[in-house]
Amino acid sequence: MKYLEWNNIISAFFFNPANAGKDVYLYLTKGELIGLGRKYLEDEKDEDIWDDFINSIKRGIPWSTGNVIAKAKFAYSKNNSLYHKRPDGSPLEIDGVPVCYPTYIAYLVFLVLPLIENIKDDNIRANNYYARLNAFLQINQINEEIGTTDFRNNQINNLWEDLSIWANVKNNGDLGLFNVIPFTNINWIYVGKVFSQCVLPPKLLNRLPELFESMGLVPDTIYDDRFLQEKIKNSRTDLIPKVTLDFLKKNDELSNSIIQTIQHQYKEWTGETHQEIEEGTVIRKKRNYIIASLLLQFKVNTNDEEIEFSYRMYSSNDYPEDLKFGEFENLYEINGWSRTIPLDFKEGLELKDNFNKWVAKSPIQDVRLFVSAGVFQLSNDFWIETNTLSKTDRMYLLCRNEKKELIKEWGKTFNNGDFREEDFGGLPENYSLFWLRNPTQGLPEIPRLTLYTEKRIDLIGGLKVNFRTYSNDFLPEVEIVNSNGDEKVYLQYKDTGEMIFLSKKTSLNNRWLLSEGIAINTDFYIKVENENFVGNELAYNLASSDNSAIRIDASKLPRRNFFGSITSDAGQYCLGNNIISPMKSSMRHFYPLSWVFTSTNQDNTNSISSAVFDNHNGNKLCSFLSLKSELAAKDFYQAFEFYYSKEFLEFNSNPDFNLSKLKRSSLGFYDFIGVLDYDYETKTIVLNPPQFVFIPTVKGRKVLLIGARDAAMIETIISKAPEHGLQVEITKQFPSNERMLLPDAITIKSFGSSTDNYGERDIKALADELQIKFSSNYFPQIALYDFSADIYDYENTLQLTDEKDYDWARKIFNIETLSFDGSETPSFDKTFSLIEYKLNEYTYQHKLWKDNGCYQIDKNWGRFVALKHHNKDVILFDRTSNKVAIPIGTPLPKLLSKAIMLLSGLAPDLKGIDGKQYRVYENANGLFMQNLFKSKLCQIPIDRLL
């Protein structure tokens, strides 16, 4: 391959949308490079692919001369081609290859390789870069000697700096962030940048959480650089390579850059410490503990001058539904915070859940700072621990009495009235409490009381669409970290330079409000008048979900087989809400009960009423998902919590209310009512395109809108439908499902006689005008039912799987309660057990043990396999009212759930029947349902009135 072909391949590996906002290090091993090239050199041996890469480096871009460093500089000189396009918008080409990335990236990767690959010369020191580089050149038949002069004369530093500008400024970090650490020491001014890419290789970066856990660190805490460096140097661990430890023992620029990288990784650490185990080509994860911060909080009763302490836990990881610390359970409140844990203050308190492997830790500290919990959208009644000294917020300081005199001396630096000692009852013995605001300086003897002066800009409280883009539903607020409170903050559009000054938030001194009417999809900066903050060149923008649904790409949807599992090749398959090549039995003119969907009873009307659309946060969540179009389960949960907190301002005080369960149930129902396709194995979500489908009606025609939708689309449907003589009906979900934030069901009813096909032509005309697919020739609900496998098919295809559990949390399906119950015993019944293994809230495995064989199984199918094994019928059927009740613990397999819910677009009502929780489907036409349960699931419905 040509040099630029290799450059494009390597660059695309490092810089791509999946790395948006993430730090990129130009670290590639020889084996990884060969792996990248194999896609294009399929029939070549490994060494031939490697030789092809080396030869491309030797050749460089056509007309380049000199050694590899000179050729790297020549490649850099051709970089302007990246910023120009042909008249048709396509990239310019060099040597017949499109220029899609900076032209010198492959050379920078090449320069890092000598520090990654083993050089077989015991006399070369690990930190002697030029010796390693020249040995590497000789091994690869590049007969050149490179030294400092080559780097200096060819101004090689320009390449690193240009890459940083391209990634961070010109592309706004959308493909990844590339940070250059400047070195002033003459010995490191060139090679320091090379070392900074690989002294912490990716494998080590991935294992840093294990190092943090082994050192006793707690997430979301502040540790100064010197403390962290000493901790690592003195740790007895094999996680840090010897060469890295050797660098850390020196207090030079390189050791500082290593610590800065580790600090950055620590700040990104969520508290998970799972260990990766390589088994051949497969990487398994062994479950370790998840560590969370346990933060002290208190209430002050000013009338009685009493203080009452308690705790809250914070974690950016999703809480397990059954997390339990001793007597305290159902702990999750919202936005990563637990409910109040009513425990008295105890230094170094630690709470542990051994089953879920969660530990909440409160580090031992001489000094603790507290800020109003309202800053974190919690109750203003509380003051809660925080990490840093605020320049403007009112704060409390709790300290051991050993530090009291030092604190009091520091208090003399405050202005009058800004510092006082409090004398509340209830303070822990040997502790003192101070109230303070507006500090004028920090206290150097106590790192926690450092008064940081370097400012930075953060956007707080909005909902991110991607790395730097926010939804315009609820605008984020601008926070100036380490603000003085008197800054003049403005928004400036990137292209036009237009400035809009922002108003200050009255309740917080360091927050400013974005104004309504900011241009959509237009990059803007946030700046402060007469101040320039380092690292705040990032351009933000706002995105609207309006008209996003119609742009959903159906080709992104996974193909599913008749079990609901993803398949790569099949003549007949499920794609979203549709069966491709459906059976004749679901086709309109072959389905024997087609009159259920296409009635021959005439429906007339004298007037069409205008539907009213309430764009509540359930509908807004649906619009946001349409804007995303593709996302992960974690993204859904974050968006759900965001809109939930806006819809339900008051926290649900019901002790049985479990937000963790609620958002998981919501995601399942978003799948089953046809809005999206969710794969619970890969945790990926893809939105379905909008579509009209027939639903049962006794007169005329009625269609249901399924798939993605947004507020603008619904408003357009409401305005356009009457022009075609159609009635729009908007039905809210059942009150029992209100907190699931599901979208309303949107149906459209037509009128007329047989001469105009009962108004069906009007529906088609509306669908054509709106460019929404109308499935008029077949019934997707019937197609899904017909296509779905039955339980015998499913059992016959079960495959043996790995028996190891890697210490994941184990739950066993209880046939009596229909729930998965925690199991911590060393052994269990391997003649028949349905088991759920959990690594974290996004990573599950389900296995069936049968006759001492272990099989991979789908969770929903597995529950019905277990019911069949035990000859247990659990489904209730009311033939009179066409209602079906299915226990909440045994949801139907994916395709069957969709088949039923697409009859109405409504999630089933939640009802208690005989002391048990059921999902009740009130739209279940008896003719459609009568054989479903018996033929598909080997369930004999139990007749009873519902």
Side-chain angles (χ1 to χ4, degrees), residues 150-214:
D150 296 288
F151 277 63
R152 181 175 61 249
N153 290 348
N154 288 290
Q155 299 174 305
I156 205 71
N157 277 348
N158 290 346
L159 280 63
W160 298 97
E161 288 154 9
D162 184 79
L163 181 57
S164 178
I165 293 170
W166 173 80
N168 304 345
V169 179
K170 292 182 178 176
N171 281 288
N172 286 299
D174 290 342
L175 304 177
L177 294 170
F178 185 75
N179 296 311
V180 175
I181 301 174
F183 291 85
T184 58
N185 186 308
I186 191 65
N187 296 318
W188 293 103
I189 196 167
Y190 303 117
V191 302
K193 295 179 176 63
V194 185
F195 272 102
S196 70
Q197 299 301 300
C198 63
V199 287
L200 293 172
K203 185 176 288 188
L204 170 59
L205 291 175
N206 291 337
R207 296 196 68 186
L208 279 178
E210 294 176 59
L211 177 67
F212 300 150
E213 190 273 338
S214 70

Side-chain angles (χ1 to χ4, degrees), residues 32 59 74 107 118 149 151 328 346 351-352 365 507 620 635 706 736 773:
E32 288 167 339
R59 290 191 303 270
F74 183 80
Y107 277 110
N118 291 325
T149 303
F151 277 63
F328 305 113
K346 179 184 177 183
L351 304 176
K352 185 176 287 189
Q365 298 180 81
S507 58
K620 286 180 179 177
D635 301 323
I706 61 175
S736 63
K773 178 181 178 181

Side-chain angles (χ1 to χ4, degrees), residues 537-799:
E537 304 88 356
L538 183 67
Y540 302 96
N541 69 39
L542 300 179
S544 170
S545 61
D546 286 352
N547 303 309
S548 59
I550 205 67
R551 300 193 294 268
I552 298 292
D553 184 357
S555 69
K556 303 290 186 181
L557 288 163
R559 297 182 178 189
R560 295 189 176 276
N561 60 24
F562 43 71
F563 300 126
S565 302
I566 292 178
T567 184
S568 56
D569 52 353
Q572 186 184 37
Y573 53 89
C574 176
L575 194 71
N577 295 318
N578 296 282
I579 303 302
I580 306 304
S581 303
M583 300 177 190
K584 271 189 175 182
S585 54
S586 66
M587 305 300 287
R588 177 173 178 171
H589 299 296
F590 291 93
Y591 181 52
L593 304 176
S594 62
W595 53 267
V596 172
F597 293 87
T598 52
S599 171
T600 55
N601 297 321
Q602 184 171 324
D603 193 3
N604 296 313
T605 186
N606 295 321
S607 63
I608 302 292
S609 60
S610 179
V612 177
F613 177 59
D614 173 16
N615 195 21
H616 57 71
N617 283 300
N619 288 322
K620 286 180 179 177
L621 172 58
C622 190
S623 295
F624 174 78
L625 298 175
S626 300
L627 174 61
K628 288 283 289 182
S629 76
E630 296 180 71
L631 61 159
K634 189 171 186 177
D635 301 323
F636 176 92
Y637 297 150
Q638 289 172 345
F640 180 94
E641 284 200 34
F642 180 86
Y643 285 108
Y644 184 90
S645 66
K646 303 298 181 184
E647 185 75 8
F648 303 102
L649 298 177
E650 294 297 323
F651 173 67
N652 194 319
S653 59
N654 182 349
D656 295 326
F657 175 76
N658 191 309
L659 184 58
S660 296
K661 287 183 179 179
L662 184 72
K663 58 189 179 184
R664 283 165 181 71
S665 297
S666 175
L667 176 52
F669 282 124
Y670 262 94
D671 187 352
F672 301 150
I673 63 175
V675 173
L676 53 82
D677 180 286
Y678 171 53
D679 189 72
Y680 79 86
E681 290 185 359
T682 62
K683 305 304 170 194
T684 54
I685 297 168
V686 182
L687 273 290
N688 294 312
Q691 179 179 350
F692 288 141
V693 296
F694 284 122
I695 60 173
T697 184
V698 294
K699 289 182 179 181
R701 298 287 184 271
K702 200 171 191 178
V703 294
L704 170 72
L705 174 67
I706 61 175
R709 79 281 305 268
D710 56 72
M713 171 187 281
I714 303 304
E715 295 291 0
T716 303
I717 290 174
I718 290 171
S719 66
K720 294 291 183 182
E723 297 175 10
H724 296 274
L726 301 170
Q727 176 66 59
V728 177
E729 297 175 351
I730 300 177
T731 306
K732 288 187 176 296
Q733 300 286 337
F734 291 110
S736 63
N737 295 326
E738 179 187 24
R739 289 183 177 268
M740 284 199 191
L741 298 185
L742 300 174
D744 299 334
I746 309 293
T747 54
I748 299 172
K749 189 169 181 57
S750 66
F751 307 92
S753 64
S754 58
T755 57
D756 57 4
N757 205 13
Y758 304 97
E760 194 172 314
R761 294 188 188 91
D762 298 323
I763 297 175
K764 186 177 187 308
L766 176 65
D768 289 343
E769 181 177 355
L770 300 179
Q771 297 181 304
I772 295 175
K773 178 181 178 181
F774 175 29
S775 301
S776 60
N777 63 335
Y778 91 118
F779 307 123
Q781 304 93 327
I782 305 303
L784 286 162
Y785 164 73
D786 285 346
F787 179 67
S788 173
D790 61 44
I791 200 163
Y792 297 100
D793 295 328
Y794 189 80
E795 286 185 293
N796 289 335
T797 58
L798 290 176
Q799 295 183 342

Side-chain angles (χ1 to χ4, degrees), residues 385-561:
E385 255 188 291
T386 188
N387 282 312
T388 54
L389 183 64
S390 170
K391 293 168 69 175
T392 56
D393 291 326
R394 293 175 174 85
M395 305 189 80
Y396 279 99
L397 184 155
L398 181 72
C399 70
R400 293 177 184 270
N401 283 345
E402 290 87 340
K403 302 290 183 181
K404 181 176 179 178
E405 291 306 315
L406 186 61
I407 299 295
K408 289 176 73 172
E409 280 298 311
W410 177 56
K412 294 176 182 177
T413 66
F414 284 72
N415 293 322
N416 188 37
D418 286 346
F419 185 94
R420 67 173 180 262
E421 183 175 1
E422 301 284 15
D423 185 21
F424 294 137
L427 280 174
E429 187 177 353
N430 198 34
Y431 279 82
S432 296
L433 184 72
F434 298 88
W435 178 92
L436 58 93
R437 68 181 174 188
N438 303 328
T440 59
Q441 63 185 54
L443 182 58
E445 292 87 345
I446 301 176
R448 183 164 292 265
L449 299 183
T450 300
L451 186 63
Y452 294 98
T453 57
E454 184 177 358
K455 298 178 182 179
R456 75 170 189 273
I457 294 173
D458 284 342
L459 263 58
I460 303 294
L463 182 60
K464 277 190 174 183
V465 178
N466 56 41
F467 166 55
R468 62 185 184 90
T469 302
Y470 290 78
S471 166
N472 72 333
D473 275 350
F474 294 94
L475 298 180
E477 297 175 357
V478 176
E479 179 178 271
I480 308 294
V481 178
N482 302 320
S483 163
N484 298 322
D486 58 1
E487 291 86 355
K488 293 183 177 180
V489 183
Y490 62 92
L491 173 154
Q492 184 173 38
Y493 288 111
K494 182 177 180 179
D495 291 337
T496 65
E498 179 189 355
M499 297 165 55
I500 302 172
F501 279 89
L502 309 183
S503 60
K504 193 173 181 182
K505 188 172 183 178
T506 55
S507 58
L508 289 171
N509 265 336
N510 64 345
R511 296 272 182 96
W512 283 259
L513 303 175
L514 294 177
S515 55
E516 299 292 336
I518 296 175
I520 303 299
N521 298 324
T522 304
D523 283 349
F524 61 84
Y525 300 105
I526 300 294
K527 295 184 178 182
V528 175
E529 191 174 54
N530 300 323
E531 294 190 57
N532 185 26
F533 303 161
V534 176
N536 282 300
E537 304 88 356
L538 183 67
Y540 302 96
N541 69 39
L542 300 179
S544 170
S545 61
D546 286 352
N547 303 309
S548 59
I550 205 67
R551 300 193 294 268
I552 298 292
D553 184 357
S555 69
K556 303 290 186 181
L557 288 163
R559 297 182 178 189
R560 295 189 176 276
N561 60 24

Side-chain angles (χ1 to χ4, degrees), residues 42 62 252 302 368 373 406 587 598 672 779 810 831 865 909:
E42 293 179 355
D252 57 20
T302 53
R368 297 173 187 267
L406 186 61
M587 305 300 287
T598 52
F672 301 150
F779 307 123
R810 183 178 74 211
T831 60
V865 169
D909 200 3

Side-chain angles (χ1 to χ4, degrees), residues 198-259:
C198 63
V199 287
L200 293 172
K203 185 176 288 188
L204 170 59
L205 291 175
N206 291 337
R207 296 196 68 186
L208 279 178
E210 294 176 59
L211 177 67
F212 300 150
E213 190 273 338
S214 70
M215 295 191 304
L217 304 189
V218 178
D220 306 302
T221 306
I222 288 182
Y223 301 103
D224 63 65
D225 292 350
R226 184 55 57 86
F227 172 86
L228 204 57
Q229 187 169 359
E230 291 302 314
K231 270 279 191 182
I232 295 172
K233 281 162 49 178
N234 296 324
S235 64
R236 296 180 179 179
T237 178
D238 60 352
L239 295 173
I240 298 287
K242 183 179 181 303
V243 63
T244 305
L245 280 174
D246 289 341
F247 286 134
L248 281 175
K249 290 175 183 176
K250 303 172 184 177
N251 290 315
D252 57 20
E253 288 183 290
L254 187 57
S255 68
N256 290 337
S257 75
I258 295 171
I259 288 299

